[in-house]
Amino acid sequence: VLFRSVQVRLDGDNLTIDDSRAIRLTVKENIPVMLVNGKPANDPYERATEWLSDALNPFQGTSIPGFVSVRPKVISESQFADASLGDMGLYDCVFLCDLPRLGVAEVRRLEAHLRRGGGLVISLGDKVDIEAYNRLLYNNGEGLMPGRLLGKQAAPADRAFTMFADDQTFRQEPLLAFGDERDRTSLLGVRFKQYIRTSLPPRGGARKVFSFLNESKPSLTKSPSPDLANKSKTNNQGKA
């Protein structure tokens, strides 16, 4: 952990007391994140966390360049259920990766993590218990998950889904990083065979980022599917 002082000064005037302000910041050299693997497999790349772990830090096990600050740690579902092994106090963000279900105790720990300013990313998959997620994480719009899960939507055998977002959405976070046309094309060109349909509550801070489009209807002149691919929710507890 490093400490830095930042000071801002304005041109002087008759009231000099407000011409400058200073703040002392805590700067972390590394960003520890917890990846909870809900899909065990002998092949590491069949697990729910391996590709994500590589994306966050592709230099694990080797000399890590200074510009790579994220330090992912993968734990199992049983380790996460253990309050001592799954202690979130040491991590800036927690990723739930195809975790089948959570108990009340785990949800309470996640709520405490968000109140401390931590982050939470929920990544769904085949093993997710939709009823349990809706009951404990959505909780009638009062929980950590910003939308209700409706069910799985599979593409026809000879088709796939792709993602869609309009130009305005690409001018905002989190898609602002994909402003280059080549980056945007790569992102929207990914094909999916299945996704989980989600509905937004009538009121709340959730915002739709992506919709899924069926390849059998490729024309972008038509209205995109209302099914939700990704959402973000910001409140005074943190981000989910």
Side-chain angles (χ1 to χ4, degrees), residues 89-123:
L90 301 176
Y91 299 91
D92 289 345
C93 188
V94 175
F95 290 75
L96 304 182
C97 303
D98 201 3
L99 191 65
R101 63 191 60 81
L102 297 93
V104 174
E106 287 80 48
V107 174
R108 296 291 176 264
R109 286 163 49 213
L110 286 169
E111 291 172 342
H113 170 70
L114 293 179
R115 284 195 294 269
R116 291 192 299 265
L120 172 63
V121 178
I122 301 173
S123 178

Side-chain angles (χ1 to χ4, degrees), residues 163-177:
M163 294 186 295
F164 171 83
D166 59 27
D167 290 339
Q168 179 61 33
T169 304
F170 273 102
R171 289 193 286 269
Q172 305 175 55
E173 296 290 357
L175 299 186
L176 192 60

Side-chain angles (χ1 to χ4, degrees), residues 164-165 208 211-213 220-227:
F164 171 83
K208 180 170 69 174
S211 294
F212 279 110
L213 291 178
L220 299 185
T221 60
K222 298 182 180 181
S223 298
S225 165
D227 296 322

Side-chain angles (χ1 to χ4, degrees), residues 13-193:
D13 56 21
N14 293 332
L15 186 62
T16 59
I17 194 172
D18 66 352
D19 290 345
S20 67
R21 287 290 184 270
I23 186 173
R24 187 171 175 83
L25 301 175
T26 301
V27 181
K28 302 181 69 171
E29 293 185 83
N30 299 323
I31 303 173
V33 298
M34 175 189 291
L35 313 184
V36 186
N37 177 36
K39 184 184 176 184
N42 292 328
D43 182 349
Y45 289 98
E46 289 296 323
R47 301 168 190 165
T49 48
E50 200 68 19
W51 290 106
L52 174 60
S53 181
D54 282 354
L56 293 172
N57 187 337
F59 300 96
Q60 298 176 70
T62 63
S63 178
I64 301 177
F67 63 85
V68 178
S69 58
V70 180
R71 299 293 185 270
K73 179 180 179 180
V74 177
I75 67 172
S76 66
E77 180 182 0
S78 60
Q79 289 173 321
F80 182 67
D82 186 318
S84 59
L85 296 177
D87 182 10
M88 292 173 257
L90 301 176
Y91 299 91
D92 289 345
C93 188
V94 175
F95 290 75
L96 304 182
C97 303
D98 201 3
L99 191 65
R101 63 191 60 81
L102 297 93
V104 174
E106 287 80 48
V107 174
R108 296 291 176 264
R109 286 163 49 213
L110 286 169
E111 291 172 342
H113 170 70
L114 293 179
R115 284 195 294 269
R116 291 192 299 265
L120 172 63
V121 178
I122 301 173
S123 178
L124 306 177
D126 287 335
K127 294 185 174 297
V128 165
D129 183 333
I130 290 178
E131 186 279 329
Y133 269 61
N134 281 334
R135 176 167 42 85
L136 294 174
L137 289 177
Y138 178 64
N139 190 22
N140 295 318
E142 301 296 326
L144 303 180
M145 196 165 62
R148 178 185 294 277
L149 306 182
L150 301 179
K152 298 176 182 178
Q153 181 71 46
D158 59 340
R159 297 289 182 178
F161 297 108
T162 57
M163 294 186 295
F164 171 83
D166 59 27
D167 290 339
Q168 179 61 33
T169 304
F170 273 102
R171 289 193 286 269
Q172 305 175 55
E173 296 290 357
L175 299 186
L176 192 60
F178 294 89
D180 185 277
E181 187 64 32
R182 292 168 298 181
D183 294 335
R184 186 181 303 190
T185 300
S186 297
L187 180 67
L188 299 181
V190 177
R191 303 170 77 244
F192 297 85
K193 297 300 293 183

